[in-house]
Each structure stands twice: as structure tokens, then as C-alpha cells.
Amino acid sequence: MAKGLYHYVGSQWRRARNSIIWEVTRERMLKWRREPTVSRVDRPTRLDKARKYGYKARPGIVIARVRVSRGSMNRERPSSGRRPKRMGVYGYTTYRSDQLVAEARAARRFPNMEVMGSYWVGEDGIYKYFEVVLADRSYTASVVRRRRLLLRRERLIGKARQ
């Protein structure tokens, strides 16, 4: 059986660091660093992943690029005295992944939209970049598709928990 366009696009992204995509992405990330933390994008960077989460170039569906800082969650050292064990500086782990943090930030930035899904688009020494697919709640045309995708997502999450 013949493989489609999205198969080849996805395979290029899976080995992104070894392909020409990485050079292009590195140049793009220089621009992305100067943008706000959550910014609306005209077109998705990874069309295969965006389509997987229900993206179509139609009204009511939006792509947002979100920047999340990398690294562990180290806290500032307290000024008042206490023993090192109780400083609370090292050893904290976040309970949410960077991708979930990005989805939450996008949902906060666009309150009338609903998160359909998100995917990784790049990372440098300081930040990770995700694109979040959002659907407008008021558009009736996308309601049926959105419900179907959300049900599929809930099923996948349910399988992961078992």
C-alpha cells in the first residue's frame, strides 16, 4: 500500500535533528524567542500532527505556539537560616509535563477556545516550544468533530491509566 504525504512528513520530524528540518527550525527559534510566550500562528509547523488533533484551515480552529522554560524546578534559596535539608531548593519535580503546562497557558490566553491537543515543535538551551490546536466553542460546524476528538482522547487517557 502506498504511503501518503503525512507519513513522510512525520518520518522527517521523527529524525528532525539529523535532517534539514533542524537547520530551518533553529533559524525559526531565533525569531520565536523574541515573540510573546503564547502567540497565535497562521499555519502549523507540523501539519501531520496538527491534522491528527483536528486542525483544518477553517474559521473556529486556531494554532497557538507556546514557549515553556526548560530545566528542573529549582527554587530561590531562603534568606533566613535553616538546615540545608529544609531549605527546599533542590529535588522538586513538577507534577505536570511541559506539554500540559503549554496547553494550560494557551487555554488561559484564549478563554473562548477549547484545547484539542498539542505537539512539540522544537527546543533550544532555554525553552521548549509547543503548538496547541484550539477550537472555538461557539462555532457549531466544529462541535461534532471536536466532540469526536475529545472522546477519542479520553479513551486514550483511560487506556494509559489502566
Side-chain angles (χ1 to χ4, degrees):
M1 190 155 120
K3 294 176 181 167
L5 169 74
Y6 298 125
H7 169 79
Y8 293 107
V9 171
S11 67
Q12 283 293 316
W13 272 99
R14 272 191 290 281
R15 51 191 174 88
R17 289 187 190 241
N18 301 329
S19 68
I20 197 165
I21 287 177
W22 193 245
E23 295 168 21
V24 175
T25 306
R26 280 182 63 196
E27 289 172 17
R28 285 178 180 166
M29 279 192 276
L30 293 171
K31 294 175 190 168
W32 295 350
R33 257 185 238 159
R34 292 193 222 33
E35 289 179 358
T37 306
V38 181
S39 57
R40 188 172 171 170
V41 185
D42 294 331
R43 290 189 205 96
T45 309
R46 297 180 65 177
L47 188 59
D48 61 322
K49 287 285 189 179
R51 291 291 295 249
K52 180 181 173 186
Y53 292 116
Y55 171 78
K56 294 249 180 172
R58 60 170 61 145
I61 296 180
V62 172
I63 300 280
R65 187 180 306 113
V66 184
R67 185 177 73 201
V68 180
S69 60
R70 292 180 66 183
S72 58
M73 199 180 81
N74 286 345
R75 295 189 176 178
E76 207 172 305
R77 200 169 179 86
S79 56
S80 57
R82 62 194 77 177
R83 62 190 178 125
K85 183 179 183 180
R86 300 292 176 218
M87 285 280 184
V89 178
Y90 306 113
Y92 280 96
T93 56
T94 54
Y95 293 103
R96 293 191 299 173
S97 67
D98 291 338
Q99 191 166 353
L100 281 175
V101 170
E103 286 182 7
R105 285 182 187 173
R108 207 175 314 132
R109 172 74 171 75
F110 299 98
N112 63 325
M113 303 284 212
E114 200 170 320
V115 174
M116 304 287 283
S118 63
Y119 50 90
W120 176 91
V121 284
E123 60 187 61
D124 54 20
I126 308 165
Y127 301 110
K128 280 185 182 179
Y129 299 93
F130 297 94
E131 283 186 357
V132 183
V133 181
L134 301 144
D136 196 338
R137 290 190 180 106
S138 63
Y139 272 88
T140 54
S142 62
V143 168
V144 176
R145 185 168 177 75
R146 189 174 67 242
R147 282 188 188 146
R148 204 176 311 140
L149 282 163
L150 289 172
L151 282 171
R152 187 185 322 152
R153 193 172 180 193
E154 285 173 12
R155 254 186 266 130
L156 287 171
I157 291 169
K159 284 180 183 176
R161 287 183 184 155
Q162 289 176 353

